[in-house]
C-alpha cells in the first residue's frame, strides 16, 4: 500500500576505449585519500596495523548497495587513459527533519520511514551536486585534483550542542583538494591536502615501507581543522565521516 521504501538502479558502460566509465542512475565515487570525496565503505584504524592507512581509490563505479543515502543519482563519466578526467552531476531527494519553519537539520542517513512523522518528511528536500576529478599517472606516481559543490533546496542549520559548533550550515557546501600516491624504492608514499568553502584546511600524509623480508612499518600524520567541512569526506582517523578536529601521528609495525 505504501510502495517500495527504497529503489535504486543504473545503466553502466565500462571500458569503451577512451570512455573508461559512464554511469546513468545511481553511482558512488572514491577519490584520493578521502578528504574531498569518498562514498561507500572506508576502513579506518583497526587490528591490521600496516597495509590499511593508505586508501586505494576506485574512482567512479555503479552503486548497488542497500544503504539508502551514501550515493549520487544522475550521470557521471570518466574519460582518458594515462590522464583521466571525471565529471559528475547528481540531483536527488533527501530526507531531513525541520529545524524551524524555513531551515532543516542535516539530512538523515538512517533510511527509516516508520512513523507518520517520518513518512511526512520523506524526500522533503532536494540536493544537487556537481564536480570533477583530474588524475594523471606520471613517472613519479598518481597526482590528482578533485572538487565538488553541493546545494540544498533549504538552508541547513547546525546543531546546538558543543560538538556541533563547527558543523556545516547554509545551502551551499564545496571542497577542493590535491592528492598524491606513488612508490619510492620499496616505500608507498601518499597524501592529500583539501580546503573547504569556509577556508578551513585538512591534510594527511603517510608512508608504508618494508623493513627486511618479514617486517613492515606504517607512518601517518593527519591534521584536520576543527571547522573543516567535507560532507562527503571520509579520511583516515578516529571517527568516520567528515574528517574534522583531529591532529596526530599513527605508527604501525
Amino acid at each position: 500500500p505504501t510502495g517500495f521504501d527504497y529503489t535504486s538502479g543504473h545503466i553502466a558502460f565500462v571500458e569503451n576505449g577512451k570512455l573508461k566509465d559512464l554511469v546513468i542512475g545511481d553511482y558512488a565515487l572514491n577519490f584520493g585519500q578521502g578528504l574531498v570525496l569518498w562514498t561507500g565503505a572506508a576502513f579506518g584504524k583497526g587490528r591490521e596495523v600496516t597495509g590499511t592507512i593508505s586508501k586505494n581509490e576506485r574512482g567512479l563505479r555503479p552503486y548497488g548497495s542497500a544503504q539508502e543515502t551514501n550515493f549520487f543519482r544522475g550521470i557521471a563519466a570518466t574519460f582518458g587513459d594515462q590522464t583521466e578526467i571525471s565529471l559528475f552531476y547528481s540531483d536527488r531527494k533527501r530526507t531531513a527533519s525541520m529545524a524551524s519553519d524555513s531551515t532543516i537539520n542535516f539530512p538523515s542517513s538512517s533510511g527509516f520511514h516508520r512513523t507518520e512523522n517520518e513518512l511526512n518528511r520523506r524526500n522533503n528536500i532536494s540536493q544537487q551536486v556537481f564536480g570533477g576529478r583530474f588524475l594523471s599517472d606520471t613517472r613519479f606516481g598518481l597526482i590528482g585534483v578533485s572538487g565538488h559543490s553541493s546545494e540544498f533546496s533549504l538552508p541547513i542549520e547546525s546543531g546546538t550542542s558543543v560538538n556541533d559548533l563547527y558543523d556545516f550550515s547554509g545551502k551551499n557546501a564545496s571542497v577542493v583538494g590535491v592528492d598524491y600516491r606513488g612508490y619510492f624504492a620499496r616505500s608507498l608514499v601518499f597524501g592529500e591536502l583539501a580546503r573547504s568553502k569556509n577556508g578551513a584546511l585538512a591534510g594527511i600524509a603517510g608512508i608504508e615501507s618494508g623493513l627486511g623480508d618479514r617486517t613492515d612499518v606504517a607512518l601517518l600524520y593527519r591534521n584536520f581543522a576543527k571547522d573543516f567541512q567535507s560532507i562527503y569526506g571520509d579520511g583516515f582517523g578516529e571517527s568516520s565521516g567528515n574528517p574534522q578536529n583531529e591532529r596526530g601521528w599513527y605508527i604501525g609495525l
Side-chain angles (χ1 to χ4, degrees), residues 69 92-97 104-111 124-127 152 154-157 168 231-232:
T69 57
R92 56 170 300 208
K93 297 292 185 180
R94 302 292 302 272
T95 297
S97 59
I104 57 172
N105 295 313
F106 196 83
S108 168
S109 60
S110 69
N124 60 343
I125 64 167
S126 62
Q127 180 187 10
F152 296 91
L154 288 174
I156 290 176
E157 184 176 304
F168 167 72
I231 61 176
Y232 284 111

Side-chain angles (χ1 to χ4, degrees), residues 85-157:
I85 296 177
S86 299
L87 300 172
F88 60 92
Y89 173 77
S90 171
D91 187 357
R92 56 170 300 208
K93 297 292 185 180
R94 302 292 302 272
T95 297
S97 59
M98 300 300 297
S100 68
D101 292 339
S102 58
T103 62
I104 57 172
N105 295 313
F106 196 83
S108 168
S109 60
S110 69
F112 291 141
H113 306 113
R114 304 160 297 182
T115 65
E116 185 175 354
N117 285 337
E118 289 177 350
L119 287 169
N120 288 337
R121 63 172 178 258
R122 180 184 180 188
N123 297 332
N124 60 343
I125 64 167
S126 62
Q127 180 187 10
Q128 295 186 60
V129 185
F130 67 90
R133 165 91 166 151
F134 172 85
L135 181 65
S136 180
D137 187 358
T138 73
R139 67 187 186 94
F140 302 104
L142 296 171
I143 300 174
V145 179
S146 54
H148 64 86
S149 179
S150 183
E151 181 174 357
F152 296 91
S153 58
L154 288 174
I156 290 176
E157 184 176 304

Side-chain angles (χ1 to χ4, degrees), residues 39 129 133 214 222:
T39 57
V129 185
R133 165 91 166 151
R214 299 187 178 183
R222 66 189 183 280

